[in-house]
Amino acid sequence: MSVNLREHIEKIVPLTDDEFAFVLSHFTSKKLKKHQFLIQEGDAVYHSWFVVSGLIKASHTDESDKEHILQFAMEDWWVSDYQAYHYKTPATLSLSCLEDTEVLCLSLENSEKLCSELQKAEHFFRRKANFGYVALQQRILSLLTTSAKERYEQMLKQYPSLFQRVPKTLLASYLGVTRETLSRLSS
Amino acid sequence: MSVNLREHIEKIVPLTDDEFAFVLSHFTSKKLKKHQFLIQEGDAVYHSWFVVSGLIKASHTDESDKEHILQFAMEDWWVSDYQAYHYKTPATLSLSCLEDTEVLCLSLENSEKLCSELQKAEHFFRRKANFGYVALQQRILSLLTTSAKERYEQMLKQYPSLFQRVPKTLLASYLGVTRETLSRLSS
C-alpha cells in the first residue's frame, strides 16, 4: 500500500527509507465502501486524501438540486475540498466513493509540520500544487473554448480507464452535457 | 517598487533584510507600455511574472478567432502561462498589457534555485500555489453552476477595482457573455 505513495513522491523527489518512514508517519489510513462519503457539503474538512485504490467523485449540488462534478480521483491522485481544507470553512463539495476505496489521510496540521521538518516534503507538495494548478487552468480553458464533443474526446484520450469505471450519467455531468448527448457522442 | 513584493511575501512568511535581498536578486524587472505583449501564443515561456503596477490580460484565441479570457492580473498578482512555463511547451495563452505595466520576472531556473537555497521561499511558493489552486477550483465551480448574472455579481463584489479598469467588452469575454448581455446586467 505505502509503496504507491513512495513511488508517487519519488517521481518528484527521491527519499531514503528513513525519510519515507518519517513522511508516512504523518498519514493515517482509511477504508471506505462504495457509496460512502469522505465528506459532505457543510462538513468541516480536516484532511487531504491520497487515493491508494478505488475511485472518488467530488461534486457540488446547486440550489435546484442539480449535481455538478468537479473532479474524479483514482489511484495516485490527491483529492479534498481544498478551499474548506486550507481556509477552514465548511465544505461546498461532497466526496463520495464510486468503488470500495482506500485512502491515506493527511491533516493540514501534519502537512505543515511535515513540510517544515523535511524540505523534500515541502518541495514535493510545491511541485504537486504547481502541476495541479496547470491542470485546473487547462480545465477552465477547456470549459471556455471547447464543445462537449471535444471535451469528451480529450477525456477519452487523457483518462481512458475512467471510461470503464465511471457510470455514463456521471461522465455526462462532468462534461456538462445531458446523458442523451453523451450517448450520441460515444456511439 | 520592491517593497510591494516584500509585503506580498511577508503575508505568508517573514523575511530578514538579507533574506529579502537574496530573494530579490533572483528577479529581473521589466516595464511595458499599454498594448505590449509579455508573451504571445506559440512563444516559449521562460518567466513567471509578479505585477508591481498595471494590468495584464491572459487570453486564448480559438480556431474561429474568438478570444477567451482566462484571467486578469493586477498589482500583487502572479501571472504566466503556467503549463508552458512548467512543462517547457509552447504558450497557448497570450499575455498583454491593458495599461502601462511594471513586472518582476522570475525564471523557472531561478525559482527552483531560490527554493532549494531558502526554504522560506519554497514555503511561500507552496502556499501561494495552494491558494491559487483553490481560486481555480472556485472558478470552475462558478463556470459549472452559476449564471452569467451571478458571475457578474460575484466579480463585482470580489474585484470592484477591475470594473473601473477593464473595458466592458473584455469583462463580457471573461464572464462568457456577450457585450449586450453585460450591458443589461450592469444597468
Side-chain angles (χ1 to χ4, degrees):
Chain A
M1 163 201 99
S2 49
V3 175
N4 274 350
L5 180 64
R6 182 162 186 174
E7 279 174 8
H8 175 74
I9 295 174
E10 292 201 325
K11 282 180 193 160
I12 292 179
V13 59
L15 297 175
T16 66
D17 290 350
D18 282 351
E19 283 168 345
F20 179 66
F22 181 70
V23 169
L24 195 60
S25 71
H26 292 75
F27 287 80
T28 56
S29 173
K30 191 169 183 173
K31 289 184 184 187
L32 298 108
K33 291 280 176 202
K34 184 174 173 173
H35 301 308
Q36 274 193 293
F37 285 86
L38 267 174
I39 47 170
Q40 301 193 59
E41 292 177 45
D43 286 353
V45 177
Y46 299 111
H47 296 93
S48 171
W49 294 279
F50 174 77
V51 183
V52 176
S53 62
L55 180 61
I56 291 169
K57 174 187 74 175
S59 66
H60 171 76
T61 303
D62 70 19
E63 285 164 13
S64 61
D65 232 29
K66 190 177 166 200
E67 183 184 41
H68 303 270
I69 298 181
L70 184 69
Q71 189 196 338
F72 298 105
M74 49 187 183
E75 290 79 12
D76 275 10
W77 291 17
W78 292 84
V79 69
S80 188
D81 179 331
Y82 283 106
Q83 181 172 53
Y85 176 72
H86 286 298
Y87 293 105
K88 301 183 181 180
T89 51
T92 56
L93 298 178
S94 289
L95 303 188
S96 63
C97 300
L98 300 179
E99 302 173 356
D100 291 354
T101 296
E102 184 174 356
V103 290
L104 292 173
C105 322
L106 182 63
S107 70
L108 185 61
E109 196 187 346
N110 270 358
S111 168
E112 292 303 312
K113 206 161 130 286
L114 172 60
C115 286
S116 74
E117 288 167 352
L118 182 68
Q119 188 172 354
K120 281 183 179 182
E122 184 127 63
H123 178 75
F124 168 77
F125 284 113
R126 177 176 65 84
R127 296 301 286 162
K128 281 306 289 180
N130 288 154
F131 300 144
Y133 187 91
V134 168
L136 293 190
Q137 257 195 356
Q138 291 312 106
R139 175 105 200 267
I140 292 172
L141 267 184
S142 161
L143 283 170
L144 289 175
T145 65
T146 62
S147 64
K149 184 170 192 309
E150 288 165 314
R151 288 204 290 281
Y152 173 82
E153 282 161 4
Q154 273 177 5
M155 199 184 180
L156 189 59
K157 202 169 124 192
Q158 244 184 316
Y159 307 114
S161 67
L162 269 182
F163 278 77
Q164 310 303 319
R165 295 166 66 178
V166 174
K168 291 285 178 289
T169 316
L170 300 181
L171 276 183
S173 165
Y174 177 83
L175 294 166
V177 299
T178 63
R179 176 76 176 82
E180 290 68 35
T181 306
L182 186 71
S183 298
R184 214 170 52 240
L185 293 176
S186 57
S187 63
Chain B
M1 164 199 98
S2 50
V3 175
N4 274 350
L5 180 64
R6 181 161 186 174
E7 280 175 7
H8 175 73
I9 295 174
E10 291 201 324
K11 282 180 192 161
I12 292 180
V13 58
L15 297 174
T16 66
D17 290 350
D18 283 352
E19 283 168 343
F20 179 66
F22 181 70
V23 168
L24 195 60
S25 72
H26 291 75
F27 287 80
T28 55
S29 174
K30 190 169 184 173
K31 289 185 184 187
L32 298 108
K33 291 282 175 198
K34 184 172 173 174
H35 302 308
Q36 274 193 292
F37 285 87
L38 268 174
I39 47 169
Q40 300 194 57
E41 292 178 43
D43 286 353
V45 177
Y46 299 110
H47 295 93
S48 171
W49 293 278
F50 175 76
V51 183
V52 177
S53 64
L55 181 60
I56 291 169
K57 175 188 74 175
S59 65
H60 171 76
T61 303
D62 68 20
E63 287 165 14
S64 60
D65 232 30
K66 191 178 164 199
E67 182 184 40
H68 303 272
I69 298 181
L70 183 70
Q71 190 197 338
F72 298 106
M74 50 186 183
E75 290 78 16
D76 274 12
W77 292 17
W78 294 83
V79 69
S80 188
D81 178 332
Y82 283 106
Q83 180 173 54
Y85 176 73
H86 287 298
Y87 293 104
K88 301 182 182 180
T89 51
T92 56
L93 298 178
S94 290
L95 303 189
S96 63
C97 300
L98 299 179
E99 301 174 358
D100 291 353
T101 296
E102 184 174 354
V103 290
L104 292 173
C105 321
L106 181 63
S107 70
L108 185 61
E109 195 187 347
N110 270 358
S111 169
E112 292 303 312
K113 206 161 131 286
L114 172 59
C115 286
S116 73
E117 288 168 352
L118 182 69
Q119 188 171 354
K120 281 183 178 181
E122 184 128 63
H123 179 74
F124 167 77
F125 283 113
R126 177 174 66 84
R127 296 300 287 162
K128 280 306 290 180
N130 289 154
F131 300 145
Y133 187 92
V134 168
L136 293 190
Q137 256 195 357
Q138 292 311 108
R139 175 106 199 267
I140 292 172
L141 267 185
S142 161
L143 282 171
L144 289 175
T145 65
T146 63
S147 66
K149 184 171 192 310
E150 286 166 314
R151 287 204 291 281
Y152 173 83
E153 282 160 4
Q154 272 176 5
M155 198 185 180
L156 188 60
K157 203 168 124 192
Q158 244 182 317
Y159 307 114
S161 68
L162 269 182
F163 278 77
Q164 310 303 319
R165 294 166 67 178
V166 174
K168 291 284 178 290
T169 317
L170 299 181
L171 277 183
S173 164
Y174 177 83
L175 294 166
V177 299
T178 63
R179 176 77 176 81
E180 290 67 37
T181 306
L182 186 71
S183 296
R184 215 170 50 240
L185 293 175
S186 57
S187 63

